[in-house]
Amino acid sequence: MTLQAFIRAWRTGEAQGPDFRGDGRGRRAPFAFAFGGCAIVPSIPCSRLALISKVIHPQQVIHSVVHAVMGMLVAWCAAVMTKGKFLFLSVPCTASESSADDVPYMCLNEYHLFLLLLGAFMGYSYSLRYLVHNMNYLPFPIIQQYKYLRFRRSLPLLAKQSCVESLYMVRNFCAAYYFFGYIPKAWIITTMNLHIDSKLHPLDTVAGLLDLSLLYHSWLCGVFLLITWYIAWLLFRIYSTEAHHFPVQPTFTEETDQCLPKILNSSPPPILKFLALQDLMFLSQYSFVRRQEVFSLSQPGGHPHNWTAVSRECLNLLNDLTLKLIAHQEAAATNGRLNQPSVGDLRKVPNTPGAAAEEHSLQTPRAGLLPRSHMPSLVKSSLLPLKTSPVTDLGSNLGSPFTPSPLSRKAGMLELSSPWHGSIQSPHIMRRGPKLWTSNSDLQWTGFPQEPLSTIAVAKVTNEAIQPSSAYLWLHSKKEQIKSFLSKRVLIMYFFSKHPEASIQALFSDTQMHIWALEGLSHLVAASFIEDKYGVVQTTLPSILNTLLTLQEVVDKHFKLPHVSSKPPRTSGNLADTSYKTLRFALRASLKTAIYRITTKFGEHLNAVQVSTEHNKRLQQFLEFKE
């Protein structure tokens, strides 16, 4: 199925499948992938328990069983082609085992059984390695090459890795057969009513396993099996990540759904979204004609629909990444635990009409809530004023990506329209968060402006009714005791504790599309200095600069967190791609390069762009090449 046909099928709802996944869950797919489903975003288990749960997942169990059966089938074919002592599972016993008058007994050919079990073991080992090393992850190549060149370049590494892995698998299987080989052998003998030839050495002994002919044929069978699987896997990865060109403007009406702006602003399968962002990066760098189509105006009307759609999607992706990193930093600042409200704050609001009216009078719209703690200074200084101003263009709503979730709203929020905004906050109040009802003692202790008398009266009347019940307090204390008890058990923490590096890799696992959005957007902005005839980019330049500088501040703060390595890990040098482990370093480099690309192109003209004071200081550092 071609990509154009897949897009049409996806639009009509016919391209349904469980395979092309973006976050470990099922998505629409063009065809089934027999190797367990490919993923655009790698699934990284953050703890040992998460890895075990992936191994015993029903889909993975089916994947392992199928590969074990396929490995056994290939091993049977190899045994038949080898002939000799590997040909049949049952052979006639020697003369001493059977009398001359009777029909000779049939004995078990352990060499044939050994090869069959070895094929099943290699199939399961391959399936397990496929899961642990994220071999279903599809890495998009940085340098585009022809498919034949990519395949030819990978062939030597493929052959080398197959030979080495087969050697290790034979070694591991020999050890397993030495200890547990009697179990399948006894079951086969009992089921098929066979005998054991006493003149032959059993293979579950040291003398039997040191048979060089057996080891050589076993290794050769494993090499053939692994090379076959790796070639199929490599070809699928090469064809799936081939670059595709999406038209910016449709030639015909029925091609509208295949256009780049339309795909970027819809909810396509992850593979389609990645290919579209990759094409955006390529056109922004190398295609003058397609850049002109992005900067063009619609006819009739004269609206920059193409640029608006492209820039909106890129800014949304970057704002979502900024929000995710801020949430991770807040969790890391509290050792991975959200700030839980104290017992005094766990109150139930009464359902009386007066209380409801009073509560409504004290609350402000949800859009005015922003987390104050753990937010970077650049974010606070730039975003808080923007939230109170009207939003007119697509990128002015820079505060919206930082709108807190319901969980973070419990950890201490500040209302911009509240009389508390701008006042001196006590550390205790910042930890507990703002309260809807305030007593006289709280007013005297905190020094806040005095509330209306009706509020204080309602607070006094309902002070007794809104206290948490004793049953709730007892359950809460028992829960904390159980958590404290389990945290002191080494075995439990061994499985439940999260690995810091794995958690960071999972946080940046989908950053490839953000890198492409960064590069595509920055190249388009830099090219607009000369090629944008209508000035469509200049209207959103302040929003783009604000987004990039805010993300730069958040990324810099992330690398200052504890347990965050400042150096990328070493690459493994095998077929399994590990580039997702270094995506955070690629993001940091691409972000700084994107800002420098814009500042070096526009130069001192950026001083006329309306940005906040903090952003202006940061821009000057980039303009002076001091960043």
Side-chain angles (χ1 to χ4, degrees), residues 11 26 30 38 45 76 102 105 108 164 191 199 214 269 273 280 314 420 458 493 504 515 517 552 560 598:
R11 285 294 182 184
C38 69
W76 177 80
D102 302 331
Y105 294 122
L108 174 67
V164 174
T191 304
K199 286 191 174 183
L214 175 65
K273 188 66 167 288
L280 174 65
C314 292
W420 292 5
V458 172
M493 294 306 297
I504 296 173
I515 294 175
Q552 173 75 16
K560 297 177 182 179
I598 297 175

Side-chain angles (χ1 to χ4, degrees), residues 243-254:
H244 180 77
H245 294 282
F246 296 87
V248 179
Q249 293 180 342
T251 306
F252 303 100
T253 307
E254 57 270 13

